[in-house]
Amino acid sequence: MSRFEELNAGDVLVGQVVQIVPFGAFVSIADDAHGLLHGETEPQVGSSVTVQIIEIDRERRRASLKPA
């Protein structure tokens, strides 16, 4: 897995679902960061999903994701 600083908007990667919340799923996208897959509550914790990064906020260390 990459480090958060190495990721860019548009990157497609496979991550692991770490938490499901009412508004989406948090996916591990780097050794040191998770991203939000907004609106997706179907995957189960522990499952692998292919996602595309649509936005990165480096100051707040957040990433917005969509299914790829």
Side-chain angles (χ1 to χ4, degrees):
M1 232 180 221
S2 301
R3 295 191 43 81
F4 185 76
E5 293 81 18
E6 298 170 348
L7 300 175
N8 296 294
D11 288 354
V12 175
L13 43 101
V14 176
Q16 185 174 20
V17 177
V18 294
Q19 183 180 9
I20 303 293
V21 292
F23 48 86
F26 284 100
V27 178
S28 178
I29 57 167
D31 290 333
D32 56 351
H34 300 145
L36 176 61
L37 183 57
H38 190 71
E40 297 289 323
T41 57
E42 291 297 317
Q44 301 217 0
V45 171
S47 65
S48 293
V49 292
T50 302
V51 296
Q52 182 175 17
I53 299 172
I54 55 175
E55 183 180 4
I56 290 186
D57 182 340
R58 296 202 190 278
E59 288 181 17
R60 296 184 347 184
R61 298 189 60 78
R62 293 183 180 179
S64 297
L65 310 172
K66 70 176 185 177

